[in-house]
Amino acid sequence: MVTAIPATGRALVRLTLAVAALAIALPIQAGSKLLGTGGTSSIEGSAGGGIVPWATIAGYASSDEWSATAGYNRVLVDDFQLTTHSAAVSYDNHYELSLARQQFWIAPLQLSLEQQIIGVKVKVAGDLLYSDLPQLSVGAQFKHQQRFEVPQAVGALRQNGIDWYASVSKVYLDAIWGRNLLTNATVRLTKANQTGLLGFGSSDATQYQAVAELSAALLVRHDVAIGIEFKQKPNQLAFAREDHWKDLFVGWFINRNVSIVAGYVDLGSIAQLDDQTGFYFAIQGAY
Amino acid sequence: MRLIYVCVLVWLVTACTAAAKPSLYQQLGGEVAITKLVDGLLVKIEHDPRIVHHFKDTDIARFRSKLIEQLCHISDGPCQYTGSTMQESHTGFQITAADFDRLVQHLIDVMTELHIPLDAQNELLARLAPMYKDVTYR
């Protein structure tokens, strides 16, 4: 398993863990937003849950403040592993810029694909906590599959793609059993096959498709959220069926600098390999 | 059979009466807890250089008593709030979203330190959150 992570990856993991340990021991003042209200780093680098970008803006920057986050995510299913290293900066709780590098390890082929994603997100209306109107953000993810040979061989049309999305997020205070409930709904326009890991479009599918992505998380404590996500996916490659993704997760915001997420994921069928279920883990550092 | 119905009915009525939820004021811990809450909040404000400047011309004794009164009133306690409206009392202060966030985080931290149950904390937050629009950027 570990051999799938290159040496530089392992060094980064160690560095991340060391920084996390330091931040837990010596918390530093991040921005002013309430604990957890930036969400966490999703697998595509944008602030959100695990697999869904939310309307939340990364980190703890409130008005006129800056924030930076770094994330490390792992998805481990039967025949695949997805590793994401990401970083994001945000300003004013309105603007988010994120960078992500995804390594997609295909165990049966003993090879990994690599995708880079630049994400931008802008909060345009509402507020996560303080207004009746949910927080509305719009965003884009500029994706580039660096090793296009395999996606091309299975029918993908393009190496690059842009996903456009709009998300609404809202925390309902005192919603269920006296606990706060976060809900998020995202509509994404995409041409991506398996989120771009298998390239973009196909000879039969050259147009954008609209997909829905949903999350709900109950804050059982101020620092612990238990949630569920659903990510609708297009199905464009003739060689294999693509399924919607689902996950269950527990997130713990240890303090304003470190959060960790663990979960169970169901990615369905990927590249003719069915029932890809397994584990999800993520850690985020925030300043 | 009839007796069973009567018994069930009586049980339901008494259960409902017994289960009548205490007021938020009672859940928070009444006057004692609200006073501790406000005093704890004042300490947090005093030690937060990012927001303490908003209080430099404030009559802290009056602020304290009005806030106790307001929290008592908003939690359905036996008090009438006699202070100014939120809009009036914050006009000219230019309270930012960051200032508001910091105060809310302090409030949560103090409630947690006082072991106020989470459901009571969240209910109070739900009642205070709509004040955001009256407090900020005035």
Side-chain angles (χ1 to χ4, degrees):
Chain A
M1 299 275 275
V2 179
T3 53
I5 318 172
T8 50
R10 260 174 291 174
L12 266 172
V13 173
R14 275 196 219 107
L15 183 67
T16 308
L17 291 175
V19 171
L22 193 67
I24 292 167
L26 303 165
I28 39 176
Q29 179 58 57
S32 301
K33 278 161 65 177
L34 300 189
L35 188 67
T37 53
T40 183
S41 303
S42 70
I43 55 167
E44 294 167 313
S46 306
I51 59 174
V52 177
W54 293 349
T56 54
I57 302 296
Y60 285 97
S62 187
S63 55
D64 289 321
E65 295 176 338
W66 286 90
S67 182
T69 62
Y72 171 76
N73 308 45
R74 294 270 281 162
V75 180
L76 301 166
V77 292
D78 299 76
D79 298 303
F80 304 92
Q81 296 181 25
L82 177 66
T83 306
T84 304
H85 292 93
S86 67
V89 290
S90 71
Y91 174 68
D92 197 39
N93 198 21
H94 274 80
Y95 308 97
E96 174 187 306
L97 174 68
S98 60
L99 301 171
R101 198 189 72 191
Q102 295 180 318
Q103 281 172 303
F104 185 55
W105 171 247
I106 305 171
L109 300 179
Q110 291 287 301
L111 71 83
S112 74
L113 304 178
E114 199 167 310
Q115 179 169 236
Q116 292 186 335
I117 305 171
I118 299 172
V120 290
K121 192 197 294 181
V122 181
K123 172 180 162 181
V124 292
D127 190 86
L128 184 67
L129 290 166
Y130 304 132
S131 72
D132 291 336
L133 189 69
Q135 180 160 325
L136 168 65
S137 297
V138 293
Q141 293 172 337
F142 302 85
K143 298 179 167 181
H144 172 72
Q145 174 53 257
Q146 289 189 296
R147 305 187 62 179
F148 190 53
E149 303 81 8
V150 173
Q152 192 168 30
V154 298
L157 204 59
R158 294 191 193 286
Q159 185 168 13
N160 301 303
I162 306 173
D163 284 3
W164 304 93
Y165 66 91
S167 298
V168 283
S169 299
K170 175 84 184 139
V171 170
Y172 295 93
L173 297 166
D174 190 28
I176 301 175
W177 306 306
R179 300 302 187 260
N180 302 335
L181 177 72
L182 178 141
T183 61
N184 177 82
T186 297
V187 175
R188 183 195 297 254
L189 298 175
T190 185
K191 295 181 177 181
N193 307 312
Q194 298 290 3
T195 74
L197 296 168
L198 295 182
F200 301 84
S202 72
S203 53
D204 304 328
T206 56
Q207 301 297 311
Y208 270 106
Q209 296 201 33
V211 288
E213 303 179 15
L214 306 167
S215 310
L218 191 67
L219 284 130
V220 294
R221 300 193 331 197
H222 286 306
D223 58 346
V224 176
I226 295 176
I228 186 166
E229 293 187 299
F230 171 80
K231 183 184 181 74
Q232 187 186 15
K233 313 246 305 315
N235 183 14
Q236 309 174 124
L237 292 176
F239 94 108
R241 185 182 87 239
E242 177 169 345
D243 284 339
H244 308 317
W245 286 0
K246 293 154 234 167
D247 71 60
L248 294 167
F249 68 87
V250 179
W252 180 25
F253 295 89
I254 299 171
N255 59 28
R256 303 164 81 78
N257 302 128
V258 184
S259 64
I260 53 176
V261 181
Y264 168 80
V265 292
D266 179 353
L267 307 186
S269 185
I270 299 177
Q272 300 181 352
L273 297 165
D274 292 344
D275 302 322
Q276 297 297 317
T277 59
F279 296 99
Y280 175 72
F281 173 78
I283 182 165
Q284 188 202 61
Y287 172 72
Chain B
M1 202 61 195
R2 196 186 197 101
L3 188 67
I4 292 173
Y5 278 127
V6 171
C7 285
V8 168
L9 198 66
V10 167
W11 176 77
L12 275 175
V13 169
T14 52
C16 283
T17 316
K21 220 179 160 193
S23 70
L24 177 58
Y25 177 77
Q26 288 168 304
Q27 291 178 63
L28 290 168
E31 190 189 342
V32 174
I34 287 175
T35 303
K36 278 187 190 168
L37 179 56
V38 170
D39 286 341
L41 195 58
L42 285 171
V43 172
K44 297 270 187 200
I45 291 168
E46 190 189 340
H47 290 95
D48 186 344
R50 298 279 302 278
I51 60 172
V52 70
H53 65 276
H54 288 303
F55 296 83
K56 67 178 191 294
D57 296 325
T58 303
D59 176 347
I60 297 297
R62 180 178 184 276
F63 174 75
R64 177 179 177 274
S65 70
K66 293 298 169 201
L67 187 54
I68 291 170
E69 206 174 82
Q70 188 182 26
L71 292 178
C72 169
H73 175 74
I74 206 169
S75 63
D76 304 326
C79 313
Q80 269 303 316
Y81 176 57
T82 59
S84 334
T85 67
M86 287 294 95
Q87 286 197 31
E88 284 165 5
S89 56
H90 292 88
T91 298
F93 284 90
Q94 284 298 314
I95 310 281
T96 65
D99 297 335
F100 194 87
D101 277 336
R102 297 183 81 82
L103 192 70
V104 175
Q105 186 70 63
H106 292 323
L107 176 66
I108 291 170
D109 291 345
V110 175
M111 289 193 292
T112 304
E113 285 161 20
L114 292 174
H115 304 292
I116 290 173
L118 186 56
D119 51 351
Q121 291 189 28
N122 290 336
E123 194 174 341
L124 182 62
L125 292 175
R127 294 185 190 195
L128 295 173
M131 291 180 178
Y132 175 81
K133 63 180 188 305
D134 297 328
V135 167
T136 53
Y137 302 105
R138 298 207 165 263

